[in-house]
Amino acid sequence: PATQYNYTEIGFKKIKAPQLVFDLIREFYETNKANKHVEQWGRAYTYTNNWVSPTYMVSVEDSGLRGAGSLIKSKIWEGIRPIIEEWTGHKLKPTSLYGIREYTTGAILSTHVDRIPLVSSCIINVAQDLDEPWPLEVYDHAGMAHNVTMEPGDLVLYEVQSSSLLLALSF
């Protein structure tokens, strides 16, 4: 959007997730993956091709899941926030952290811009069952597409005017 302020030089960066945070997320997923839920998207929702390849969620907010709730959310945020703040050069306020999304074979997450007035996001690859790294297409500030391949433990920071955290899983 025209109102976007660029906080970083290129707009994205791939690094390794902090080991303690990754271990916490991975343990939560392994403990609760049998209780994943199909995500329900509206009929006009086109960010994913969910009608062909459904996505599943293991929500850190689902009180029915072991270890879910404010404690795990706080631990994840406090482990990731310093990285995002150092990257953007600004103190940030967490706005959303909803859980681990599992993408199935053939799933597409379409190019989109998150809601304003937020600042930045990151994706952490939690696990995958692929014969190759998971491709993520990210656009830089100049509008150039970059294919960023991810493996478990990788974290991609990106500016989307959103301060959210997506924990990704691909099968």
Side-chain angles (χ1 to χ4, degrees), residues 1-163:
T3 60
Q4 181 171 350
Y5 173 83
N6 295 334
Y7 290 90
T8 66
E9 185 177 330
I10 191 168
F12 70 93
K13 179 180 180 180
K14 178 179 148 182
I15 61 173
K16 283 292 186 188
Q19 193 63 50
L20 290 174
V21 173
F22 180 69
D23 290 345
L24 176 68
I25 295 166
R26 182 72 185 244
E27 181 180 337
F28 176 77
Y29 173 71
E30 292 297 330
T31 300
N32 294 291
K33 66 183 177 182
N35 297 312
K36 65 186 176 190
H37 297 283
V38 174
E39 287 190 288
Q40 300 299 315
W41 303 101
R43 290 179 56 94
Y45 186 87
T46 59
Y47 287 171
T48 68
N49 61 337
N50 58 84
W51 56 92
V52 174
S53 298
T55 58
Y56 296 87
M57 176 62 66
V58 179
S59 175
V60 295
E61 297 177 328
D62 184 343
S63 61
L65 297 181
R66 187 173 178 194
S70 60
L71 182 59
I72 191 170
K73 286 179 70 170
S74 177
K75 286 181 178 181
I76 294 169
W77 271 119
E78 293 314 308
I80 299 296
R81 184 195 331 226
I83 294 167
I84 301 174
E85 288 180 343
E86 180 181 338
W87 183 61
T88 63
H90 292 275
K91 292 284 184 191
L92 300 174
K93 177 182 174 185
T95 57
S96 63
L97 180 136
Y98 39 88
I100 301 165
R101 176 172 291 140
E102 182 179 313
Y103 294 96
T104 57
T105 301
I108 296 170
L109 176 61
S110 299
T111 302
H112 65 281
V113 175
D114 286 351
R115 58 193 164 85
I116 295 174
L118 309 166
V119 178
S120 62
S121 279
C122 74
I123 292 176
I124 299 173
N125 185 326
V126 178
Q128 66 186 39
D129 184 14
L130 300 171
D131 295 333
E132 56 196 39
W134 180 55
L136 176 68
E137 186 174 77
V138 180
Y139 286 81
D140 66 20
H141 292 318
M144 299 291 295
H146 298 262
N147 287 320
V148 179
T149 56
M150 297 184 72
E151 296 181 352
D154 287 344
L155 179 154
V156 173
L157 299 157
Y158 59 100
E159 288 188 61
V160 294
Q161 295 190 329
S162 176
S163 183

